[in-house]
Amino acid sequence: MIIHHFTKMMSEYSNHNKNQGGKTLDNVIWLESKDNVATVLNDVEQGAELQIGDKKVSTTEQIPFGHKLALSDIPAGEKVYKYGEPIGMATQDIPCGAWVHVHNCASIRGVAN
Amino acid sequence: MENYFWGYKRPDGRFGVRNHVAIISASDNANFIGRNIADAVNGAVAVPTGFGRGEFGEGLKQHVRTLGGMGANPNVYAAIVVSLEPVMANRVADFIKKSGKRVEVITSDTDGSTIDATAKGIKIARQMVIDASCLDREKVGLEHLMLGVECGGSDTTSGVISNPATGLVADKVVDAGGTVILSETAEWTGAEHLLAQRAVSEELSQEIIEAVNRFDVFYKNLGVDMNANNPSPDNQKGGLTTIEEKSLGAIKKGGSRPVQAIYKYAEHPDKKGLVLMDAISAGVENITGLAGAGCQIIIFSTGKGNPIGNPVVPTIKASGNPRTVTLHADNTDVDLSAVVTEQMPIEQAGDLLYDEMLLYAKGKVTSSEVLDDLVVSVSRNGKYVYGY
């Protein structure tokens, strides 16, 4: 069940990142272990160190609230996964920690049909 | 956890969560009279429409089924159908009469000028509201509930917060023997295989895939690649990148139970459990179809905010976006943003939304009801023939 997994990820993440000394808590949702992107639930600065599951990812650029970052290098032509399902294809090489959106990811359905 | 609601019993055995007198325009030229009547009578609601003249074939059927379905909706105690002429008015009124409730017809042809037709309507509506006020609510099980789920103004939070929370409510309603309608066919694109896998028969599974393909072909024939134009620019700004991502998040609001059937726009489901309605995704058009199908409650999950509701069906706005629940606080009914700000587990968000849904069913007014931000748009999508 995706929903349970989502909750687990949320609580795991918050355990790793207890808000200490007034430091802002970066809030990230990684829905399924198959996913090579995660969604941030606050504006995340460039160079932020994020603990996502057992991975440490450093952002290569700013990621706006509600947007996605790559959890691994995603070569051009490879599928981008969220919800454990393909949401599109990388249109260029996407480095780990980069912002994933319309500039580097396109619909497979929209293009192929 | 409560598994009942308080409803008004109707002659056809259904239960309403509202006790409206509906003033339904059967054609666009009667909207002014219908609005005048509704404005003059406390407890009457206007159900205006576009078009209604020069309707033929499937388009005519859809027009009558939708407006008639809103009149037959159990949230309506009695209805007045207003039109320029009696033919279209009686088509809609006859549809409503099948539910056994009181229906009256007012037309410019038979009742005269705007002032005369309005005055007649006010007199009838006045008595209907008084009669409606004598009814008491009864305690009934959720097997009598039909819930419509909708998402609009989507952003990333819709797919990861408000839609999954709505889906948990949908599962509770289905498990209690009720009905849930999931719609917005174009926004199953890229996720339709997941719905097809949950279909109760191979035939239904195929129908779901075909419904999505039909939309795709329909738009392509009009020279539009929907999948390249959806998510919309505001969806994209909210973080949604592709139609697949939007769809995978969108279907979460239907929950996780088996899919029992697929129906036409505003068609009344004859099966219980989770069912689909093959219809356009635009918010007002879609909830008009859900109201016409007979839903007593709609949960409208939104990311970026959306103010509207349906006049006969309380439309509960739920959002998990902290910015939206602040900026659109006056339009938000259920605030789920604690999932973001306080790591509230999604199950808890689902429980919160379920409890709130039962309160709204009991009579708590939604923000769109109290602000009278109630709109209707009968879908023109499909095989429409125009007479002019």
Side-chain angles (χ1 to χ4, degrees), chain A residues 36 55 60 70-76 78-79 90 93-98:
Chain A
N36 52 11
K55 279 180 191 211
T60 62
L71 300 181
S72 59
D73 292 336
I74 309 172
E78 290 291 309
K79 283 175 181 164
D93 291 343
I94 305 175
C96 181

Side-chain angles (χ1 to χ4, degrees), chain A residues 27 66 68 87 101 108-110, chain B residues 156 192 225 241-242 244 340:
Chain A
N27 196 345
K68 297 174 288 300
I87 62 162
H101 200 30
I108 299 165
R109 298 292 290 267
Chain B
T156 307
E192 69 269 49
D225 184 347
T241 305
T242 64
E244 295 94 319
V340 176

Side-chain angles (χ1 to χ4, degrees), chain B residues 175-191:
Chain B
D175 293 348
T179 307
V180 174
I181 307 183
L182 170 70
S183 183
E184 306 175 70
T185 313
E187 292 174 6
W188 305 338
T189 307

